[in-house]
Amino acid sequence: MRLSKALIPTLKETPSEAQIASHRLMLRAGLIRQMASGIYAWLPAGLRVLTKIADIVREEQDRIGAQEVLMPTIQSADLWRESGRYEAYGKEMLRITDRHDRELLYGPTNEEMITAIVRDNIKSYRDLPQMPYHIQWKFRDEVRPRFGVLRGREFLMKDGYSFDLDFDGAFRTYKSIMLAYMRTFQRIGITAIPMRADTGAIGGDLSHEFHILAPTGESGVFFDAAFETGDALGATDPDAFYEQMTTTYAATDEKHDESAWAQIPPERKREGRGIEVGQIFYFGTKYSKAMNFAVTGADGQKFYPEMGSYGIGVSRLVGAIIEARHDEAGIIWPQAIAPWRAAILNLRQGDATTDTLCEQLYQALGADALYDDREERAGAKFAEADLMGLPWQLIVGPKGAAKGMVELKHRATGERFELPADEALAKVRA
Amino acid sequence: MRLSKALIPTLKETPSEAQIASHRLMLRAGLIRQMASGIYAWLPAGLRVLTKIADIVREEQDRIGAQEVLMPTIQSADLWRESGRYEAYGKEMLRITDRHDRELLYGPTNEEMITAIVRDNIKSYRDLPQMPYHIQWKFRDEVRPRFGVLRGREFLMKDGYSFDLDFDGAFRTYKSIMLAYMRTFQRIGITAIPMRADTGAIGGDLSHEFHILAPTGESGVFFDAAFETGDALGATDPDAFYEQMTTTYAATDEKHDESAWAQIPPERKREGRGIEVGQIFYFGTKYSKAMNFAVTGADGQKFYPEMGSYGIGVSRLVGAIIEARHDEAGIIWPQAIAPWRAAILNLRQGDATTDTLCEQLYQALGADALYDDREERAGAKFAEADLMGLPWQLIVGPKGAAKGMVELKHRATGERFELPADEALAKVRA
């Protein structure tokens, strides 16, 4: 994309409403704009990140046999009366009355709806297990929305649900979801740690939260250094993986156990701060019973399927990743979800040799490049490229261009290389 | 996908609430389920169609330089007070009050919001033109939702907006959008015809609707046979294309002009019925003036950008395509948007030779195949394959499998071929 034509309104000043780095940087880098309290529009650069994260989430869900569906944002209050949560949910639920005075709501989560769908369409144990998920906008009417997309009201979530024959099946599903989540975070390029959690409003017996490490995280976290190596992608056996994940020490300050912590060798102790980006729940027959979803078993007897639910905050991840990866100058995107792989900085717009080389680089990289073709000072282009945080910067000035040379800057490390254009391209594409 | 594991709940009976073919078939083929009046969940097969349509729409928008954004579903009432449409919009607008008694609404369209975004982020004529679009769920509180996704309340729309320097630029944009729309419909595999339309609640001077031909369409349409050839993809010049589209006769019964119609040679006259699947508007400075969006021109003077808006009903298209393409037995998907390219019908599940050949076909086609591996009678499998309407059926029985032969059926024509498995695969992939 050519920056001169793009709707990427970067800001020099720090917007006064932004209290934390990710909110500030998302506004300054032109990723989002606030439309109402806790409600954001995603501009082209921000949407590209959101879409790339969603695509990775989707691939890892599909890989474990989950099936994508898409439930509507608006739900009937009657569904929530079946589970008993309509009254219980409180003021965070955005309640709506339509023109015929029917009670609706903007879904904050979908346990009730998916249970109704599976109940009405599945009759036999032979049709289980089922693992539907969707990636859809949710609304929670936070009393005080803040921190940009980290605590917004309208937010994008991947929420998945599982229906199993029995506890063993449900527990196996829970483990495979944990593995899928760890693969997802690793592919995105961040370190995430699963931690035992309370079940809260969803209910149930077993839950883990996934925290990514960021100095501005809301929770203090204590963990074994083993989590830093992140070899989740290699695991093939969910049982062994789960065993390893849950026997290696990790806890938020709320659940921190000083006596267990004392057992960890000092060189393996890590403390930091974490941002929650996902949570998984096993809750057995809580919803299948409440909503009367019974299935005929192999023995002809009816039984209630065992359920769980599994969420990743897709829009929240964008903010959380920036909290984990930024410096004074701006964002430092992991390559897998950067809006573009490289920025091309034309330092002398209008100079024929420089323009020609920049155009060649732009043609070569295509959709992977953001070309800063504006008539701006070099200093402004450097600052905006650092702010926007693409993994690579291809810096082209008239002197180098005359010799076919470019300066390649790696945003994360600050390393700079003087290279022939084709070698620079090869490094960017690697 | 293996049908035995898939959440594709087909129905033998015709659901009583469905009055028209597409609604009936979308329920029977397991594409959607109704969650509340006019509000649907998309199950895996339906979502695949919806996603494929959205992807084609997106590619053709990007190709003409439009930029994808994503605006939230919930909007502030104050935005709509700026344009004067908050009171005017009437009962189709779903109005919402949040916990702090602020007035919100579920966006039925986004002229106000996009004008505010561009206004707050663009200051100079040098930043124009801009052509943002998004593909997002909308809500219109229809008094009597009906016909499934054809007149639902929560629906998926691609809505795009343009901001130009002057009328000439805006008119050129309008023409390029018409060309992009015709390419979109042609790639999807349907015949669409642009027809001069009234501007309604959006306002403005110039509008076209796009109708696709279907015997159950809501409007009578009269058109020149030239529209049947559909060579839109070949056009490169929007001016010439627009001239051709708008001087060739086409009108809904509301706008039908008997005297102009009389001039058409009888052999070129076509009459039919149409379903509206898109509409485009040029409305000049209606919103930029009302919302005080002025930009500094090259001469230092402020001016109001010239605007248009452009919609394609993405979820509506799914229903409309089925209205245009079905028979007694079920849906006949165009290849480009079929949920899968081929169904593999195993006529003797459990027979080793048959199972082996089916698995080989399934591995070869991968994500492009739906494998009916259920223990069902052949007759039921034939009926469901016709109902679901994938372009090809690979029918595998024990006798053929022993010789490495399959029967290949083309759903649209009913043609059947006895072929060696590899030749059948080659035909499916072609």
Side-chain angles (χ1 to χ4, degrees):
Chain A
M1 184 165 287
R2 287 173 198 275
L3 192 49
S4 64
K5 309 280 182 201
L7 188 57
I8 304 179
T10 54
L11 304 175
K12 285 193 186 61
E13 308 297 323
T14 292
S16 58
E17 76 263 35
Q19 300 165 32
I20 59 168
S22 61
H23 190 189
R24 217 152 47 220
L25 290 170
M26 289 183 75
L27 292 169
R28 284 195 55 212
L31 304 182
I32 54 168
R33 285 296 181 264
Q34 180 171 297
M35 296 289 103
S37 172
I39 301 176
Y40 294 88
W42 294 75
L43 302 185
L47 179 59
R48 288 177 73 101
V49 176
L50 193 69
T51 302
K52 288 187 179 189
I53 293 173
D55 285 346
I56 292 174
V57 168
R58 179 178 290 118
E59 285 172 22
E60 293 299 332
Q61 290 299 303
D62 292 347
R63 181 171 162 180
I64 58 167
Q67 292 179 58
E68 190 172 6
V69 301
L70 187 54
M71 291 178 268
T73 60
I74 300 297
Q75 306 188 15
S76 159
D78 289 340
L79 257 183
W80 287 67
R81 292 209 174 87
E82 287 190 50
S83 71
R85 285 207 294 177
Y86 187 62
E87 302 308 331
Y89 209 93
K91 290 197 165 186
E92 276 195 14
M93 179 181 277
L94 189 68
R95 292 160 208 262
I96 305 170
T97 306
D98 76 6
R99 67 190 297 170
H100 298 301
D101 286 328
R102 282 174 299 215
E103 290 172 286
L104 304 172
L105 57 98
Y106 198 120
T109 179
N110 285 61
E111 280 81 8
E112 284 79 359
M113 188 178 278
I114 197 70
T115 303
I117 291 173
V118 176
R119 175 190 67 194
D120 296 345
N121 292 288
I122 292 264
K123 302 296 168 203
S124 159
Y125 73 96
R126 279 188 295 263
D127 300 323
L128 296 179
Q130 288 289 341
M131 220 193 308
Y133 75 96
H134 72 162
I135 301 175
Q136 178 61 295
W137 293 90
K138 311 283 186 300
F139 202 99
R140 289 183 193 162
D141 200 3
E142 297 273 352
V143 63
R144 198 163 70 86
R146 58 194 183 280
F147 307 145
V149 300
L150 282 178
R151 197 165 292 276
R153 293 198 291 171
E154 186 169 333
F155 60 97
L156 187 62
M157 184 160 84
K158 186 289 293 181
D159 42 324
Y161 304 87
S162 65
F163 300 84
D164 274 280
L165 288 169
D166 51 27
F167 172 76
D168 287 351
F171 195 30
R172 210 175 311 120
T173 297
Y174 186 92
K175 293 169 179 173
S176 74
I177 295 272
M178 183 183 280
L179 177 54
Y181 274 31
M182 292 298 281
R183 283 183 185 139
T184 301
F185 298 129
Q186 195 171 355
R187 280 186 58 191
I188 287 171
I190 49 177
T191 302
I193 302 175
M195 304 193 187
R196 187 74 189 242
D198 294 323
T199 55
I202 303 284
D205 307 319
L206 177 61
S207 178
H208 284 85
E209 290 173 350
F210 296 80
H211 284 259
I212 71 171
L213 300 173
T216 51
E218 70 239 0
S219 315
V221 293
F222 301 82
F223 59 97
D224 190 298
F227 285 110
E228 293 175 337
T229 63
D231 51 0
L233 280 170
T236 52
D237 172 8
D239 291 314
F241 173 80
Y242 183 80
E243 178 72 15
Q244 184 202 332
M245 285 289 129
T246 52
T247 54
T248 309
Y249 192 86
T252 60
D253 39 19
E254 284 178 2
K255 297 241 164 190
H256 188 44
D257 175 347
E258 283 294 349
S259 67
W261 185 238
Q263 310 296 313
I264 315 280
E267 72 277 12
R268 278 172 44 198
K269 282 184 178 173
R270 298 287 185 274
E271 295 184 33
R273 302 198 68 79
I275 300 175
E276 188 209 320
V277 292
Q279 189 166 4
I280 60 179
F281 301 87
Y282 159 74
F283 43 69
T285 58
K286 173 177 169 170
Y287 294 90
S288 51
K289 263 190 189 150
M291 297 182 67
N292 196 27
F293 170 32
V295 159
T296 307
D299 58 2
Q301 301 293 307
K302 292 268 185 186
F303 69 96
Y304 295 108
E306 293 265 332
M307 293 177 55
S309 72
Y310 316 96
I312 290 183
V314 177
S315 51
R316 172 169 246 245
L317 262 171
V318 181
I321 293 163
I322 296 174
E323 290 296 332
R325 295 184 49 115
H326 71 274
D327 60 16
E328 286 297 302
I331 301 167
I332 304 170
W333 289 118
Q335 184 141 309
I337 58 149
W340 294 271
R341 187 176 278 249
I344 300 164
L345 278 58
N346 184 332
L347 300 188
R348 187 74 59 80
Q349 198 71 37
D351 172 73
T353 313
T354 313
D355 290 356
T356 302
L357 183 53
C358 285
E359 289 290 338
Q360 285 167 355
L361 294 168
Y362 183 49
Q363 295 307 320
L365 290 170
D368 268 348
L370 179 68
Y371 174 22
D372 189 346
D373 61 341
R374 299 169 306 160
E375 295 187 6
E376 276 281 0
R377 297 179 299 108
K381 292 193 176 191
F382 291 140
E384 289 200 25
D386 281 351
L387 170 64
M388 294 172 60
L390 307 187
W392 296 100
Q393 297 171 16
L394 288 156
I395 302 164
V396 186
K399 256 199 247 169
K403 297 177 289 181
M405 299 290 284
V406 306
E407 187 180 9
L408 179 68
K409 177 178 166 183
H410 188 238
R411 174 68 179 89
T413 59
E415 284 178 289
R416 291 160 181 274
F417 312 87
E418 284 281 337
L419 293 172
D422 56 346
E423 287 181 32
L425 278 177
K427 255 182 156 1
V428 167
R429 285 173 173 149
Chain B
M1 184 165 288
R2 286 174 199 275
L3 192 50
S4 65
K5 309 278 182 202
L7 187 57
I8 304 179
T10 54
L11 304 173
K12 286 194 186 60
E13 309 298 321
T14 292
S16 59
E17 76 263 36
Q19 301 166 31
I20 60 169
S22 60
H23 190 190
R24 218 150 50 220
L25 291 170
M26 288 183 75
L27 292 168
R28 286 197 53 214
L31 305 182
I32 55 169
R33 285 296 181 263
Q34 180 171 295
M35 295 292 104
S37 173
I39 300 178
Y40 294 88
W42 294 75
L43 301 184
L47 179 58
R48 288 178 73 101
V49 177
L50 193 68
T51 302
K52 288 188 179 189
I53 294 174
D55 285 345
I56 292 174
V57 168
R58 179 179 288 119
E59 285 171 22
E60 294 299 333
Q61 291 298 303
D62 292 348
R63 180 172 163 180
I64 57 166
Q67 291 179 59
E68 190 172 6
V69 300
L70 188 54
M71 291 177 268
T73 60
I74 300 298
Q75 306 188 15
S76 160
D78 289 340
L79 257 184
W80 287 68
R81 293 209 174 88
E82 288 190 51
S83 71
R85 285 208 294 178
Y86 187 62
E87 301 308 331
Y89 210 93
K91 290 195 164 189
E92 277 196 13
M93 179 181 277
L94 189 69
R95 293 159 207 263
I96 305 170
T97 306
D98 75 7
R99 68 191 295 170
H100 296 302
D101 286 328
R102 281 174 300 213
E103 290 171 285
L104 303 172
L105 57 99
Y106 199 122
T109 179
N110 284 61
E111 281 80 9
E112 284 79 0
M113 187 178 278
I114 196 69
T115 303
I117 291 172
V118 177
R119 175 190 67 195
D120 296 345
N121 292 288
I122 291 266
K123 301 296 170 202
S124 158
Y125 72 97
R126 277 187 297 263
D127 299 323
L128 296 180
Q130 288 289 341
M131 220 192 312
Y133 75 96
H134 73 160
I135 300 176
Q136 177 62 294
W137 293 89
K138 310 284 185 301
F139 202 97
R140 289 184 193 162
D141 199 1
E142 296 273 352
V143 64
R144 197 162 72 85
R146 58 194 182 281
F147 307 145
V149 300
L150 282 179
R151 195 166 293 277
R153 293 199 290 172
E154 187 170 333
F155 60 97
L156 187 61
M157 184 159 85
K158 186 287 294 180
D159 41 323
Y161 304 87
S162 64
F163 299 84
D164 275 281
L165 289 169
D166 51 28
F167 172 76
D168 286 351
F171 194 30
R172 207 174 313 120
T173 297
Y174 186 92
K175 292 170 181 174
S176 73
I177 295 271
M178 183 182 280
L179 177 54
Y181 274 30
M182 293 298 281
R183 283 183 185 138
T184 300
F185 298 128
Q186 194 171 357
R187 280 187 59 191
I188 287 171
I190 49 177
T191 302
I193 303 175
M195 303 193 189
R196 187 73 188 241
D198 293 323
T199 56
I202 303 283
D205 307 319
L206 176 63
S207 179
H208 284 85
E209 290 174 351
F210 296 80
H211 284 259
I212 71 172
L213 300 173
T216 51
E218 71 240 358
S219 315
V221 293
F222 302 82
F223 60 97
D224 189 299
F227 285 109
E228 291 175 337
T229 63
D231 50 0
L233 278 170
T236 51
D237 173 9
D239 291 315
F241 174 79
Y242 182 80
E243 177 72 14
Q244 185 204 331
M245 285 290 128
T246 51
T247 54
T248 310
Y249 192 87
T252 60
D253 40 18
E254 284 177 3
K255 297 240 165 190
H256 187 46
D257 175 347
E258 283 294 350
S259 67
W261 186 239
Q263 310 295 314
I264 315 278
E267 72 277 10
R268 278 174 43 199
K269 282 184 180 176
R270 298 288 184 275
E271 293 185 35
R273 302 199 68 78
I275 300 175
E276 188 207 320
V277 291
Q279 189 166 5
I280 60 179
F281 300 88
Y282 159 74
F283 42 70
T285 59
K286 174 178 167 167
Y287 294 90
S288 52
K289 261 188 190 153
M291 297 183 66
N292 196 25
F293 171 32
V295 159
T296 306
D299 59 1
Q301 301 293 308
K302 293 270 187 185
F303 69 95
Y304 295 109
E306 294 266 330
M307 292 177 57
S309 73
Y310 316 95
I312 289 181
V314 176
S315 51
R316 174 169 245 246
L317 261 170
V318 180
I321 292 163
I322 295 174
E323 289 296 332
R325 293 182 52 113
H326 70 275
D327 60 17
E328 286 297 303
I331 301 168
I332 304 170
W333 289 117
Q335 183 141 311
I337 58 148
W340 294 272
R341 188 177 279 250
I344 300 164
L345 277 58
N346 184 331
L347 301 189
R348 187 74 59 81
Q349 198 70 37
D351 172 73
T353 313
T354 313
D355 289 356
T356 302
L357 183 54
C358 285
E359 289 290 339
Q360 285 168 353
L361 294 168
Y362 183 48
Q363 295 306 320
L365 289 170
D368 268 347
L370 179 68
Y371 174 22
D372 190 345
D373 60 341
R374 299 169 307 159
E375 295 187 7
E376 276 281 1
R377 299 179 297 108
K381 293 193 176 191
F382 292 140
E384 289 199 24
D386 281 352
L387 170 63
M388 294 172 60
L390 308 186
W392 297 99
Q393 297 170 17
L394 288 155
I395 302 164
V396 186
K399 256 200 250 170
K403 298 177 290 182
M405 299 288 285
V406 307
E407 187 180 10
L408 179 68
K409 176 176 166 183
H410 188 238
R411 174 68 180 89
T413 60
E415 284 178 286
R416 290 159 181 276
F417 313 88
E418 285 281 337
L419 292 172
D422 55 346
E423 287 181 31
L425 279 176
K427 255 183 156 359
V428 167
R429 285 173 171 149

